[in-house]
Amino acid sequence: IARFMPNGSADPTFSGDGKTTLSLANMAVGISDMLILPDGKILCAGNAWNQSEDYYFLLARFNANGTPDNSFDGDGIVITRSGVFRQSADALAVQQDGKIIVAGYINSSGYNDVAVLRFKPDGTLDNSFGGGDGIVTTPVGESYASARDVLIQPDGKIIAAGYAVVNGFEDFAILRIYPQRVFVFA
């Protein structure tokens, strides 16, 4: 993550040199989306993977000065695994109550299903969401699907948009998630 001054130069008040990095022992990481929270902290979503091709959802939160936010899961980093194959967090949003919505995909059967996860503000999965594990997975289309963006409507319903393979081609897909129901349009 890098922060720049209005003239394009690195901001020296951010981590000392204008940039900060995220690293995990024996894992590669990639960030797909980030938000600046109302308190100035920076929330990032993406994935982490190791040499044996184990993939994890990744959330990281940094203080406004670029240092890890240790109040978020103890070290500023949350990695979550669901399913047995690849998974990735590609988009995130924050509800008015501070809960974090992450959208992407989970491949647990050989095909990618759209995945939406909800975390509490401290980084723990919100078990009141989904099937009691904080995760909603939805197969869309014939084989591969993923959410690439997510937003929260004023009424609290979650919209996830992305793609799904339909009739052999990638097509637009959108889901609306609200208590006990998921609607799919592909």
Side-chain angles (χ1 to χ4, degrees):
I1 301 171
R3 186 165 68 198
F4 298 92
M5 303 292 285
N7 67 5
S9 63
D11 180 353
T13 66
F14 186 75
S15 195
D17 61 358
K19 61 186 175 195
T20 189
T21 59
L22 173 67
S23 62
L24 297 171
N26 302 315
M27 298 187 93
V29 297
I31 299 298
S32 301
D33 198 6
M34 70 179 203
L35 295 172
I36 298 175
L37 301 172
D39 62 2
K41 293 182 180 183
I42 302 161
L43 182 65
C44 303
N47 60 30
W49 63 97
N50 61 25
Q51 297 299 328
S52 58
E53 295 295 315
D54 293 326
Y55 282 73
Y56 301 84
F57 290 101
L58 170 77
L59 278 177
R61 192 166 70 195
F62 296 89
N63 294 309
N65 66 3
T67 60
D69 178 4
N70 293 331
S71 69
F72 190 68
D73 199 49
D75 62 358
I77 301 167
V78 174
I79 57 172
T80 303
R81 183 166 170 86
S82 179
V84 294
F85 299 115
R86 293 181 179 215
Q87 50 212 302
S88 181
D90 294 321
L92 69 115
V94 178
Q95 296 180 172
Q96 288 183 352
D97 62 2
K99 291 183 179 177
I100 302 162
I101 302 296
V102 174
Y105 70 87
I106 291 175
N107 185 320
S108 58
S109 64
Y111 296 106
N112 294 352
D113 293 335
V114 172
V116 178
L117 297 79
R118 186 166 71 187
F119 294 85
K120 295 176 184 174
D122 67 359
T124 57
L125 275 168
D126 180 2
N127 293 335
S128 69
F129 183 75
D133 60 359
I135 303 169
V136 171
T137 57
T138 307
V140 182
E142 301 161 350
S143 55
Y144 294 95
S146 181
R148 298 294 188 185
D149 204 359
V150 65
L151 63 87
I152 300 164
Q153 294 181 182
D155 63 3
K157 294 174 187 156
I158 300 164
I159 301 291
Y163 73 91
V165 174
V166 178
N167 295 322
F169 297 95
E170 285 185 7
D171 203 351
F172 177 77
I174 187 166
L175 292 81
R176 179 186 298 163
I177 301 169
Y178 65 101
Q180 309 305 323
R181 295 186 204 149
V182 177
F183 291 96
V184 177
F185 306 96

